[in-house]
Amino acid sequence: MSTHILVFKTNITSDKDRNILSELMQNIKDIIKWNLDVWDIDNVLRIESDNDCSDSIIQHVKQAGYSCIPLED
Amino acid sequence: VNEYSFIFAEILRARDENKEKTIKEMAVQMIVDHGFDGLSMQKLAKKAGVSPATIYIYFKDKEELIETIAIEEINKMTQVSLKGFSPKMSFEEGLRVQWKNRINYWLEFTLSAKFTEQAKNSPIGEKIKEKVKIEFANIMREFVQNAVAKGDLKPMKAEIYWSLAFAPLYQLIRFHMYGMGLRGEKFELTDEIFEETFNNVLKSLKP
């Protein structure tokens, strides 16, 4: 088993938004660790997970009304 | 494998030290050119020729990246500044070595020097103060105390000492790097200018 790093560009900036995100992240079981890069212009959501749970993350974050786009090469 | 698989990077894949080094070097360049706010992880990835996910393997966020670089750069500056220096040297010899080392640092590691100056004057500077080796400050303090004890240096406040002992040097380095004097003429920090300034500074510091 290997750990993946998943990164997404988001529009999550305020403390309130971050709290909402925090709750969302608790509901996705594959996530080992997550953090939001609050200094970066892209408000990058960084996730360590056991497997590819990108679809699930994007779905959850989008459902909460935020944008969540994989950071491409 | 699905459409997002290209953004994956396995942590277990051997951490490539060259890759990490390139990321840090490009970050220093971007920060010197555009400031801390001008550094975006995505742009940095492009410049370093890696995927954004790769940067996030090494660093959890931009703050951690900048902090890591700042600590390394400040330690490098310390190393260069202490080359061939001992706090037991006579005041004149020790200060001369300090001047030479600091000139070398600015001329050989210009980008590092610019970055370090920027970092020291930012909130990051405050944050990393405790993590950076305090060895340098202690050695310089010992040097000054020895010089005062030997009667080679007037006792004075640390800020006055620094302003007299080093501010003139940094101004000369600035003129040299700019390549221009006060009236727009070509300027170069020659050995003669070094000696004349150094001797005047020494005079102002001796009892």
Side-chain angles (χ1 to χ4, degrees):
Chain A
M1 190 181 72
S2 62
T3 307
H4 292 99
I5 299 286
L6 312 171
V7 285
F8 306 91
K9 176 179 175 162
T10 75
N11 59 351
I12 300 165
T13 50
S14 72
D15 286 344
K16 184 178 149 250
D17 295 339
R18 262 176 257 162
N19 290 337
I20 293 169
L21 179 71
S22 179
E23 274 172 39
L24 287 176
M25 293 294 105
Q26 282 167 21
N27 295 330
I28 305 172
K29 64 174 182 2
D30 293 319
I31 294 177
I32 302 167
K33 244 181 176 176
W34 69 273
N35 67 281
L36 193 67
D37 191 348
V38 291
W39 279 28
D40 193 74
I41 188 137
D42 292 323
N43 308 302
V44 174
L45 171 61
R46 174 191 186 273
I47 285 162
E48 291 178 28
S49 69
D50 282 334
N51 52 54
D52 170 7
C53 54
S54 290
D55 292 332
S56 168
I57 290 160
I58 291 169
Q59 197 194 333
H60 276 83
V61 176
K62 275 190 172 165
Q63 255 172 21
Y66 303 106
S67 71
C68 183
I69 304 155
L71 264 189
E72 296 174 19
D73 287 358
Chain B
V1 179
N2 71 13
E3 64 184 296
Y4 299 118
S5 59
F6 61 88
I7 60 161
F8 295 166
E10 293 174 4
I11 285 183
L12 290 183
R13 192 192 296 157
R15 280 173 68 115
D16 184 334
E17 277 187 25
N18 282 331
K19 227 181 241 179
E20 193 178 344
K21 201 168 156 253
T22 309
I23 292 168
K24 286 182 196 163
E25 283 170 1
M26 291 299 148
V28 168
Q29 180 80 61
M30 280 182 87
I31 289 166
V32 168
D33 289 346
H34 306 292
F36 288 120
D37 289 340
L39 175 82
S40 109
M41 297 294 249
Q42 196 175 19
K43 279 189 201 156
L44 174 60
K46 243 178 219 148
K47 269 200 137 185
V50 300
S51 70
T54 302
I55 296 183
Y56 281 103
I57 294 175
Y58 300 109
F59 308 99
K60 110 180 191 312
D61 53 25
K62 184 172 152 182
E63 189 177 7
E64 188 180 277
L65 166 72
I66 296 175
E67 248 188 67
T68 306
I69 298 173
I71 290 170
E72 285 179 12
E73 290 293 356
I74 289 174
N75 286 336
K76 181 162 93 186
M77 180 179 69
T78 300
Q79 217 184 339
V80 176
S81 301
L82 292 178
K83 208 175 157 201
F85 176 82
S86 155
K88 293 189 175 64
M89 279 175 166
S90 78
F91 183 63
E92 179 172 348
E93 191 191 1
L95 192 62
R96 189 182 291 276
V97 172
Q98 277 303 312
W99 275 43
K100 294 235 154 111
N101 285 349
R102 290 173 194 221
I103 290 172
N104 284 344
Y105 177 67
W106 268 90
L107 300 190
E108 273 180 48
F109 305 103
T110 306
L111 216 54
S112 291
K114 284 182 177 170
F115 170 86
T116 306
E117 201 169 62
Q118 230 169 308
K120 276 198 287 191
N121 297 318
S122 76
I124 286 271
E126 281 303 311
K127 256 198 93 185
I128 61 169
K129 245 182 194 164
E130 280 153 34
K131 291 184 195 164
V132 174
K133 288 182 198 158
I134 48 165
E135 180 199 2
F136 184 65
N138 288 339
I139 290 175
M140 294 317 278
R141 194 173 303 123
E142 194 188 331
F143 174 62
V144 166
Q145 283 166 353
N146 287 345
V148 170
K150 282 186 278 191
D152 291 338
L153 172 64
K154 276 184 256 188
M156 61 184 86
K157 273 179 86 103
E159 291 77 13
I160 300 176
Y161 168 73
W162 196 93
S163 299
L164 290 172
F166 295 111
L169 168 71
Y170 285 113
Q171 189 53 52
L172 287 179
I173 293 173
R174 236 170 259 138
F175 281 134
H176 177 86
M177 306 236 330
Y178 204 53
M180 213 191 270
L182 283 176
R183 283 177 298 277
E185 76 284 19
K186 196 173 175 294
F187 181 88
E188 197 188 329
L189 178 47
T190 59
D191 289 344
E192 289 78 40
I193 291 175
F194 178 102
E195 285 305 323
E196 191 179 332
T197 315
F198 182 77
N199 288 326
N200 276 305
V201 164
L202 211 57
K203 250 188 242 167
S204 73
L205 293 165
K206 280 189 166 173

